[in-house]
Amino acid sequence: MTEPFHVPQGAPQAAPQAASGLIGFSGSAQAMSLVAFTAVATITLLLCVMTGPDRDDLDEFYTGYRSLSAVRNGLAIAGDYISAAMVLGGGGVIAVFGYDGVVLALSTALSLMLLMFLLAEPLRNAGRFTMGDALARRMPGRAVRITACAATLVALLPLMLVQLAGTGDLLAFVLGFSGENLKTGVIVGLGTLMIAYAAIGGMKGTALIQILKIVMLLGSGGIIAVLILHRFDWDLGALFGTAATNSGVGSRFLESGLQFAAGPHSELDMISAQLTVVLGGACLPHVTMRMYTAGSAREVRRSLSWAVPSVTLFVPVITVVGFGATALVGREAITRADPQGNTAYLLGTRAVFGADVSTAETLLFTTVTAAIFLTVLASVAGMILACANSLAHDVFATGAKPLTPRREMALARISAAVVGVVAIILATMVQHRSLQPLITLSFCLGASALAPALVYSLFWRRYTRAGLLCTLIGGSLSVIVLMTGTSLVSGSPISAFPDADFNWFPFTTTGIVSIPLGFAFGWLGTLASGRERSEEQRRQYEAVEGWILAGATRRGS
């Protein structure tokens, strides 16, 4: 996961300590990174092959038989939350905006707590394989499932594009190449590998990759954070003070408001971003699908009791590394390497070693780059799997003619290939544009369409099918319409269309308007259904309320 961050025009101004020598990586580091990337790809693919489900075992493909222990499932959930976009984008925002970046990173942990305390158990009890199962539990019908599938695709596809398109730049930065054809080749190659993860490994295979990723990421990141603190004699005040000095904005770097200072309503813009992260992050389909892998409501709680500390632990790690990058490299050098600061995590890692790098330090840097590489692979594979599961189970398997398990399994794997190929093609098309609008779009859709739909479906007795469709469709359309008017799309040099200016919406994220609209559409749709229909839904909900909220009895879909 990541936050809907952006970099306003002219963010870095003052010259920090010169760090040009830190931006280029040594030949030995590049060679070791290439070897590590190859090893990671090979090992993870073998894991998927060895743990892949049988051809006709849907439960194993969709949920891994719910056989993952609470520890492993919790680490897999944490892996879904800590995506490559969070590591690179989140670290960049902390390095560029200081305090505001830390607050938005904390919102990610708060989002997981919301999932833990409000939605996790009802989702597990109501759903079976997909979000469509959970929504259709009370309101069966093909229209509900197809709309849920469409919402899943629209919410996750932008995030897949961001991470696939960013992978080319990441590997170019680490390995030292700049050719556009090579970057495109990286996107195609890695996209194909991610399709294989989802299609071959299913839920259990992708979960194992997420577990390996989170262990490597927390381990290597924790060591780098300790080295940075050691560099500043374990004095956080010295670290923050040096970062503020090298930020070029002085004490503002340690105060609220720097990130959205260029907007007309900076405080409301910050609130909108935080609300979007908290609600959107908890309801994205590749995260909620992990709830269905738990064997019981108790296992869900135990899984999240491991996921929350893991994500929370990464917040101070990324904070120290982000501030360390600014303190050691400087804000101007960071934004010169990448305007959004996406390379700050790597620059901070490299800078802590100084000019003379030993073999052990090169090995540690290689571990960090391999962890980020694995993060990209795991994140996109999980999203492809969520989309493929929804297509196969919610669209194809609910037609007039029932599908055999083997047929549905084949369709799920074909769907993974189709979704992956579409993502690869689109990623190659958008790789030269700003990707920040796509990140923001995904989180806004999660917060404005999926969150209201889930909250209403799980807790509102009178909620109707019309209300659900209005929530999903109306919330999604409101986000898409409002997003076209943000400064992330046009009106600034770092927008997706820098040569155009149709910026009319005064906020960076749409959440402050689209989230209330999503809930309002659901309420109005239910109201329009009539009192008789609402009473019918209330009676139906009361009949299943016990097992949705408390898991009294688990029924088939």
Side-chain angles (χ1 to χ4, degrees):
M1 304 241 322
T2 187
E3 295 79 2
F5 297 136
H6 82 299
V7 179
Q9 181 179 358
Q13 298 294 338
Q17 297 174 349
S20 58
L22 297 173
I23 295 180
F25 302 124
S26 66
S28 60
Q30 292 173 352
M32 289 183 68
S33 294
L34 182 59
V35 172
F37 294 163
T38 304
V40 164
T42 303
I43 292 170
T44 49
L45 187 57
L46 286 174
L47 280 175
C48 285
V49 171
M50 290 187 294
T51 59
D54 295 332
R55 288 182 296 173
D56 57 353
D57 200 328
L58 290 178
D59 274 298
E60 187 177 7
F61 185 82
Y62 286 134
T63 68
Y65 277 139
R66 299 182 174 87
S67 61
L68 293 177
S69 67
V71 176
R72 289 190 292 170
N73 199 34
L75 292 176
I77 294 170
D80 277 314
Y81 256 76
I82 303 177
S83 66
M86 178 182 177
V87 177
L88 301 177
V93 173
I94 292 172
V96 174
F97 297 112
Y99 177 87
D100 286 352
V102 176
V103 171
L104 285 170
L106 285 169
S107 297
T108 301
L110 183 60
S111 172
L112 190 53
M113 293 179 189
L114 172 70
L115 178 64
M116 178 178 183
F117 291 111
L118 182 64
L119 298 177
E121 290 186 39
L123 266 174
R124 183 265 164 201
N125 296 331
R128 184 186 177 195
F129 295 148
T130 67
M131 183 179 290
D133 283 335
L135 295 176
R137 184 68 65 177
R138 287 181 55 196
M139 290 159 278
R142 188 166 169 78
V144 169
R145 288 187 175 272
I146 291 176
T147 306
C149 178
T152 296
L153 293 172
V154 173
L156 292 185
L157 190 59
L159 271 183
M160 283 190 274
L161 300 186
V162 169
Q163 300 193 75
L164 275 176
T167 302
D169 289 331
L170 172 64
L171 265 66
F173 182 74
V174 174
L175 301 179
F177 65 81
S178 58
E180 296 301 327
N181 290 335
L182 284 175
K183 292 181 183 179
T184 301
V186 167
I187 293 173
V188 174
L190 292 184
T192 303
L193 186 61
M194 295 166 195
I195 292 172
Y197 288 161
I200 297 173
M203 183 64 72
K204 186 180 288 186
T206 56
L208 290 177
I209 297 173
Q210 293 286 10
I211 294 166
L212 179 61
K213 152 200 159 177
I214 198 69
V215 171
M216 287 184 63
L217 198 59
L218 284 175
S220 61
I223 293 173
I224 297 300
V226 168
L227 291 176
I228 290 174
L229 290 174
H230 176 70
R231 183 79 174 265
F232 288 89
D233 297 323
W234 309 101
D235 187 349
L236 282 174
L239 171 62
F240 294 159
T242 306
T245 300
N246 284 347
S247 69
V249 294
S251 61
R252 293 178 59 206
F253 191 72
L254 304 178
E255 299 172 356
S256 177
L258 180 61
Q259 182 183 2
F260 302 98
H265 309 287
S266 59
E267 292 185 359
L268 286 176
D269 212 355
M270 186 70 172
I271 293 172
S272 178
Q274 292 172 340
L275 189 62
T276 300
V277 171
V278 171
L279 288 180
C283 298
L284 287 174
H286 70 295
V287 175
T288 59
M289 77 173 180
R290 294 286 173 195
M291 303 304 106
Y292 313 130
T293 62
S296 65
R298 180 173 178 270
E299 287 298 306
V300 170
R301 293 192 299 270
R302 292 182 60 201
S303 297
L304 285 168
S305 70
W306 283 92
V308 171
S310 300
V311 174
T312 304
L313 176 62
F314 191 70
V315 173
V317 169
I318 199 173
T319 297
V320 171
V321 176
F323 273 95
T326 307
L328 298 172
V329 180
R331 191 170 180 237
E332 184 178 3
I334 290 170
T335 54
R336 188 168 62 246
D338 183 275
Q340 277 75 42
N342 290 332
T343 56
Y345 193 89
L346 290 173
L347 289 176
T349 299
R350 175 63 181 84
V352 74
F353 301 138
D356 298 323
V357 182
S358 67
T359 302
E361 290 169 338
T362 301
L363 182 60
L364 179 57
F365 175 77
T366 302
T367 304
V368 172
T369 59
I372 294 176
F373 178 72
L374 182 57
T375 299
V376 175
L377 297 179
S379 299
V380 178
M383 295 174 193
I384 291 176
L385 182 63
C387 292
N389 289 356
S390 186
L391 275 170
H393 187 66
D394 293 328
V395 177
F396 300 124
T398 58
K401 184 179 180 180
L403 297 178
T404 63
R406 177 169 293 189
R407 178 67 173 166
E408 185 174 341
M409 175 80 74
L411 285 172
R413 286 173 164 158
I414 293 172
S415 297
V418 172
V419 170
V421 168
V422 171
I424 291 170
I425 293 173
L426 293 178
T428 60
M429 295 171 62
V430 303
Q431 62 177 317
H432 303 299
R433 297 190 179 275
S434 171
L435 303 177
Q436 294 301 314
L438 296 177
I439 299 174
T440 304
L441 177 62
S442 285
F443 277 81
C444 288
L445 286 168
S448 305
L450 301 180
L454 288 175
V455 170
Y456 278 155
S457 295
L458 296 174
F459 302 109
W460 188 15
R461 296 179 177 181
R462 298 179 185 273
Y463 196 41
T464 65
R465 180 184 287 106
L468 174 59
L469 297 177
C470 287
T471 303
L472 292 174
I473 297 172
S476 299
L477 289 177
S478 65
V479 170
I480 294 171
V481 170
L482 293 174
M483 273 295 299
T484 61
T486 66
S487 60
L488 296 180
V489 176
S490 70
S492 74
I494 54 90
S495 61
F497 300 96
D499 298 328
D501 188 0
F502 40 88
N503 175 18
W504 54 269
F505 190 66
F507 303 106
T508 306
T509 57
T510 68
I512 198 167
V513 174
S514 59
I515 292 173
L517 282 177
F519 282 96
F521 283 130
W523 178 75
L524 290 172
T526 298
L527 193 66
S529 300
R531 189 175 186 85
E532 182 178 344
R533 184 61 178 164
S534 294
E535 283 297 317
E536 179 184 347
Q537 284 297 324
R538 181 185 64 80
R539 290 191 296 270
Q540 292 179 1
Y541 180 80
E542 288 177 347
V544 296
E545 184 176 13
W547 57 266
I548 287 181
L549 300 183
T553 303
R554 188 171 186 83
R555 303 182 183 182
S557 61

